[in-house]
Amino acid sequence: MLVGVPKEIKNHEYRVGLTPAAVKELTDNGHQVVVETQAGAGIGFSNEDYEKVGATILATAEEVFEKAEMIVKVKEPQAVERARLRADQVLFTYLHLAPDAPQTQDLINSGATCIAYETVTDNSGRLPLLAPMSEVAGRMSIQAGAHCLEKAQEGRGVLLGGVPGVEPAKVVVIGGGVVGQNAAAMAVGMGAEVVVLDRSLDTLRKLDAQYNNRIKAVYSTQHSIEEHVLSADLVIGGVLLPGAAAPKLVTRDLISRMKKGSVIVDVAIDQGGCVETSKATTHAEPTFIVDGVVHYCVANMPGAVARTSTIALNNATLPFVMQLANKGARKALEDNAHLLNGLNVAKGVVTCEEVAEAQNLPYRSAKEMLTEI
């Protein structure tokens, strides 16, 4: 198979779909790889690094899309990239379609086979291609939140861990999944007072046992969310419903009653955000303020630590890239039900039920569409 790696073009996005090490795995297995010039330069991977492992460097993204049978990216394709997709191509990347109707429609119109990292599953029902970036985003959420709490950033002027004689900041983490667990670990390590809200008693028990009462593990209800958010200095939104739009658990009314200068980091923003006042921001302009509350809603948070993120992501995606390249899309999807769960759009049809429901679109199951790929 001929695999293409374009340079990412989202604001301050330096990650790259395949590292040179991943490219070598493909070329050693007889596949061809074309890489847009300087695609990995932002994180220290030169054109020469790719050429040494057998890749061909192309001058433009147009050439990469024109030649490739499968496009491997990191972030969802931007409008100009979506216009280049063809019906005979496979797209393998993060998509986050539920809150993004324009992207969904463009992918439908392209006819391409579009597989989303974030809905691929594993034997335990987890999301192995989302997990590494959730780990990064969860950890980053605390350092971003700590920075936003500084007075110069219009925060309350509170040090997360406090100092002897001064109370630490209160960090409230909504969602005890991968994002929440990693956020809690960082917040505890920095000496904050930490509350984690979740609806899974098993998750709460594990967190309680792990931290030996160092955190408060609280069952999530509207009442408990209100109680803890109103007293928080920093709120981390880490809620995920696989493939679906995030529920709005923090309302506009609640925002209006929060402490002035408190901070919200909405890590769920890729799926629309779990805070009613959230809107996607960029690394160039990461924050905005509503009712005195600082909102940090960067939609590609892990892009800020792009080298770490790229390598971590490739460690997870490479086995699936190899299956698609070695077997072709149809056979790979037939043989691996977990990869099939990643199929979101194929041949002009939405194949992810949550996306179809969120946008009121016609739906056919991924399995049903296999014969047409």
Side-chain angles (χ1 to χ4, degrees):
M1 182 178 282
L2 202 163
V3 180
V5 183
K7 186 174 182 178
E8 297 292 327
I9 58 175
K10 192 162 186 172
N11 178 271
H12 283 281
E13 182 54 76
Y14 304 104
R15 288 175 289 180
V16 63
L18 294 174
T19 64
V23 169
K24 182 169 172 38
E25 292 291 319
L26 285 163
T27 56
D28 283 353
N29 278 267
H31 303 292
Q32 296 175 270
V33 182
V34 293
V35 179
E36 184 181 352
T37 185
Q38 304 301 315
I43 53 173
F45 297 133
S46 67
N47 287 348
E48 292 73 22
D49 292 331
Y50 284 102
E51 288 173 325
K52 285 176 184 175
V53 294
T56 299
I57 302 299
L58 298 180
T60 65
E62 289 90 339
E63 293 175 86
V64 172
F65 277 85
E66 182 181 341
K67 292 179 178 294
E69 297 169 84
M70 176 167 67
I71 298 291
V72 179
K73 283 176 42 62
V74 178
K75 287 306 293 176
E76 71 280 356
Q78 304 301 291
V80 66
E81 296 174 306
R82 302 195 293 266
R84 297 175 181 138
L85 288 169
R86 305 188 308 270
D88 61 345
Q89 276 180 325
V90 175
L91 172 67
F92 194 31
T93 188
Y94 287 117
L95 293 176
H96 300 290
L97 291 178
D100 192 347
Q103 185 194 176
T104 304
Q105 194 58 57
D106 284 349
L107 296 185
I108 290 170
N109 294 343
S110 76
T113 299
C114 306
I115 305 170
Y117 292 160
E118 72 273 8
T119 59
V120 173
T121 55
D122 65 13
N123 289 329
S124 301
R126 294 171 300 199
L127 306 172
L129 307 191
L130 188 62
M133 297 304 94
S134 295
E135 290 167 346
V136 171
R139 295 179 183 214
M140 282 190 67
S141 69
I142 298 301
Q143 66 185 50
H147 178 63
C148 291
L149 276 170
E150 295 174 11
K151 195 65 183 174
Q153 310 306 315
E154 301 189 71
R156 296 192 70 222
V158 173
L159 182 64
L160 212 61
V163 293
V166 182
E167 290 185 354
K170 178 176 179 178
V171 176
V172 175
V173 181
I174 303 175
V178 179
V179 167
Q181 291 166 24
N182 281 271
M186 290 292 287
V188 167
M190 294 177 73
E193 175 191 349
V194 181
V195 176
V196 179
L197 297 157
D198 199 273
R199 303 202 78 161
S200 165
L201 290 175
D202 283 342
T203 295
L204 296 175
R205 288 188 184 105
K206 288 175 184 175
L207 286 166
D208 184 67
Q210 179 180 351
Y211 290 103
N212 194 25
N213 297 320
R214 177 64 185 81
I215 69 171
K216 294 177 183 176
V218 177
Y219 189 78
S220 180
T221 63
Q222 287 185 337
H223 179 268
S224 62
I225 290 173
E226 178 172 351
E227 176 186 353
H228 289 288
V229 165
L230 288 179
S231 60
D233 297 294
L234 170 60
V235 175
I236 307 298
V239 180
L240 174 70
L241 299 178
K248 306 298 184 186
L249 299 181
V250 180
T251 64
R252 179 177 291 275
D253 172 67
L254 193 50
I255 293 289
S256 71
R257 293 184 284 132
M258 287 177 67
K259 292 187 287 192
K260 304 308 177 188
S262 57
V263 175
I264 287 180
V265 178
D266 195 345
V267 185
I269 195 64
D270 279 320
Q271 294 293 130
C274 63
V275 178
E276 193 172 8
T277 47
S278 288
K279 60 183 180 182
T281 60
T282 67
H283 288 290
E285 295 183 41
T287 63
F288 60 93
I289 296 175
V290 177
D291 291 333
V293 177
V294 181
H295 291 55
Y296 180 102
C297 304
V298 175
N300 59 327
M301 284 179 65
V305 287
R307 187 176 177 93
T308 296
S309 297
T310 294
I311 295 170
L313 181 60
N314 270 234
N315 290 343
T317 58
L318 181 58
F320 296 97
V321 171
M322 294 303 301
Q323 290 173 43
L324 289 163
N326 288 338
K327 298 179 178 183
R330 181 191 293 183
K331 181 64 173 168
L333 292 166
E334 284 177 347
D335 289 352
N336 189 334
H338 297 302
L339 183 60
L340 184 61
N341 286 334
L343 189 65
N344 276 214
V345 177
K347 302 303 176 187
V349 177
V350 174
T351 58
C352 177
E353 190 169 4
E354 292 81 3
V355 173
E357 183 178 333
Q359 299 183 27
N360 196 28
L361 290 170
Y363 161 76
R364 287 176 65 185
S365 73
K367 190 172 184 179
E368 186 182 354
M369 287 299 298
L370 277 176
T371 57
E372 301 187 30
I373 292 175

